[in-house]
Amino acid sequence: MAAIMAAGLVVLALLAAVAAPAHATDYVVGDSAGWASGVDYATWASGKTFAAGDNLVFQYSAMHTVAEVSSADYSACSASNSIQSYSDQNTKVALTAPGTRYFICGAPGHCGNGMKLAVTVAAAAATTTPETSTSTPAATTPPTTTKSTSTSSTSSTGAACGGEARLGMGILAAAAGLAGLALMG
């Protein structure tokens, strides 16, 4: 009986290692410059790998918007048929599936002057380490608690995700129950 319980504990430990959720990366678009005129977003995106589950965080002033558009509307700088449009000045867009996503500023003339971003989203990796790409926002954006970076994204690991913590507690409870059964049998 004790051997069966020990085997059960090993299986639970393996399940915990495999089932632990991957953490998403939050990318602050434009880093410290944010979503603003005069930023080369193609260069900003070129050194990054975006995966399903990651988020784009657009921080911008009231004179700008974020419009997610089709490839054709991206090329034409047209927000008239946008998939989604935002103007809250602090927009978090979830990258939920692989493929290319297109974003432009809907203010007249801004996209034509370079305020546009295309990101290619890869499939989510089975396991990743927790990361957050952050930067200090410009004075016109809402305050956040982020770290400054000028040339590359930074990583920080934090507390476990809510789902991961619940999974861990469930596994611990199951292991304790099996251990109790092994001692009683």
Side-chain angles (χ1 to χ4, degrees):
M1 181 73 166
I4 293 172
M5 294 301 150
L9 289 174
V10 169
V11 169
L12 284 174
L14 289 173
L15 286 173
V18 172
H23 292 275
T25 300
D26 286 346
Y27 291 96
V28 175
V29 175
D31 291 323
S32 62
W35 184 238
S37 299
V39 177
D40 183 350
Y41 292 104
T43 299
W44 174 82
S46 68
K48 295 168 181 54
T49 301
F50 303 98
D54 290 344
N55 299 295
L56 294 177
V57 180
F58 291 86
Q59 297 176 336
Y60 50 98
S61 69
M63 67 185 333
H64 300 296
T65 65
V66 175
E68 182 169 4
V69 296
S70 68
S71 174
D73 286 340
Y74 176 82
S75 296
C77 281
S78 173
S80 61
N81 297 314
S82 62
I83 297 165
Q84 188 73 288
S85 186
Y86 307 93
S87 59
D88 62 1
Q89 299 177 19
N90 193 21
T91 302
K92 187 178 217 178
V93 177
L95 303 175
T96 57
T100 304
R101 305 273 297 267
Y102 302 93
F103 303 91
I104 65 172
C105 180
H110 291 199
C111 175
N113 287 326
M115 213 169 153
K116 58 197 240 177
L117 170 68
V119 297
T120 301
V121 181
T127 58
T128 60
T129 56
E131 286 190 39
T132 303
S133 173
T134 58
S135 62
T136 304
T140 59
T141 60
T144 59
T145 55
T146 57
K147 294 181 182 178
S148 178
T149 178
S150 59
T151 59
S152 65
S153 58
T154 59
S155 298
S156 64
T157 57
C161 297
E164 184 178 337
R166 286 189 293 277
L167 175 65
M169 292 303 291
I171 291 170
L172 286 175
L178 285 174
L181 286 173
L183 291 174
M184 292 171 52

